[in-house]
Amino acid sequence: AEYGWDSTLKQMEKIKGRDMDKLQLDEKALATFNTLQRQISLERILARPSNMQVTVKKHPPYRVAYIRSWGPYDVEAGLDAFSRLLQWAGPRGLVNEKSLLMGVVSNSPDVTPAEKLIYDACITVPGSIEADRWVNIQMIPGGDFAVHHSEIEIHRQEEEWTRLVLDWLTQSEYQPDDRPLYAIYYNTEALPDIINVIADFCLPVKPLMR
């Protein structure tokens, strides 16, 4: 599915001037970024330094086993999906130094009904692993990604995605691409009681057309 960026970017353009009166009007629209349907604090985002450390990297395609959640993203539902995924992967020897755990967002609330929003809890797997009664298999497209490494409280991930677009993308030489965006998580051994996540937030990008 294509993410559909036009509406999100229009909202970001409105707030580039940091006009707080207008920010209140745009807050609900911004909260839908990354398929999140609750309010976020733009004041808190804008109060943080805007000099984010972002690197554009070329990622390969990833073959993943995944458990899918439908509907507006909920942290607890995501944690449950990852817990079940690890319960499946652990006994099969798939949780190791070569595997990546990824939260993948495939479509946008701006163009998709809330009940059809998709969030996949994923782990990279070799070609010998096939779908079964617990997990499905898919390929996550590769390409250029803007990568921001961060440690943040798990319930504030939507702020980090919004900062990546507002403070970096709108000032960069790139535009978003309609491939899935994802976070790669590095400390999921703390599940299910994880408080802070250590993650690479990976936004698909392509050069601006001149």
Side-chain angles (χ1 to χ4, degrees):
E2 291 190 350
Y3 189 89
W5 281 98
D6 288 348
S7 179
T8 298
L9 287 181
K10 286 177 182 176
Q11 295 298 330
M12 293 294 177
E13 288 295 326
K14 289 181 182 179
I15 68 172
K16 282 175 69 174
R18 306 297 207 264
D19 185 330
M20 294 305 291
D21 292 333
K22 293 180 180 177
L23 290 184
Q24 294 303 313
L25 299 176
D26 290 335
E27 190 165 6
K28 185 175 181 180
L30 266 178
T32 66
F33 181 70
N34 196 31
T35 75
L36 292 154
Q37 294 290 321
R38 63 179 182 274
Q39 296 289 314
I40 58 175
S41 172
L42 285 172
E43 289 89 345
R44 186 161 57 192
I45 293 171
L46 296 176
R48 296 175 65 183
S50 61
N51 57 338
M52 298 183 74
Q53 299 299 309
V54 178
T55 304
V56 175
K57 300 179 180 179
K58 188 170 292 293
H59 284 187
Y62 292 114
R63 187 176 190 272
V64 300
Y66 68 96
I67 293 177
R68 175 161 292 178
S69 298
W70 295 86
Y73 180 64
D74 176 80
V75 169
E76 282 68 33
L79 286 174
D80 177 68
F82 273 110
S83 294
R84 289 186 287 125
L85 183 67
L86 290 172
Q87 288 170 7
W88 170 87
R92 291 165 174 79
L94 298 173
V95 182
N96 52 57
E97 67 279 359
K98 294 182 179 180
S99 61
L100 297 176
L101 283 162
M102 308 166 66
V104 179
V105 178
S106 298
N107 51 14
S108 167
D110 293 322
V111 296
T112 307
E115 68 274 11
K116 294 184 178 180
L117 295 175
I118 296 171
Y119 180 85
D120 293 336
C122 306
I123 186 170
T124 53
V125 293
S128 58
I129 301 297
E130 298 181 351
D132 58 27
R133 59 183 291 192
W134 296 281
V135 301
N136 288 308
I137 301 293
Q138 66 176 320
M139 292 297 299
I140 304 301
D144 289 335
F145 286 82
V147 180
H148 170 54
H149 185 79
S150 180
E151 179 175 352
I152 194 165
E153 197 268 325
I154 191 169
H155 290 277
R156 292 176 61 183
Q157 292 180 82
E158 65 269 34
E159 292 183 21
E160 210 67 356
W161 282 115
T162 303
R163 286 185 67 226
L164 181 54
V165 174
L166 177 62
D167 285 335
W168 181 82
L169 183 65
T170 58
Q171 314 295 325
S172 76
E173 296 297 314
Y174 293 88
Q175 59 184 319
D177 193 23
D178 282 327
R179 288 169 283 130
L181 58 84
Y182 51 79
I184 300 174
Y185 297 107
Y186 295 104
N187 64 327
T188 50
E189 70 279 355
L191 285 172
D193 301 316
I194 192 168
I195 297 174
N196 295 323
V197 294
I198 301 173
D200 286 339
F201 294 87
C202 304
L203 182 71
V205 294
K206 58 187 176 183
L208 279 173
M209 300 298 292
R210 295 297 185 183

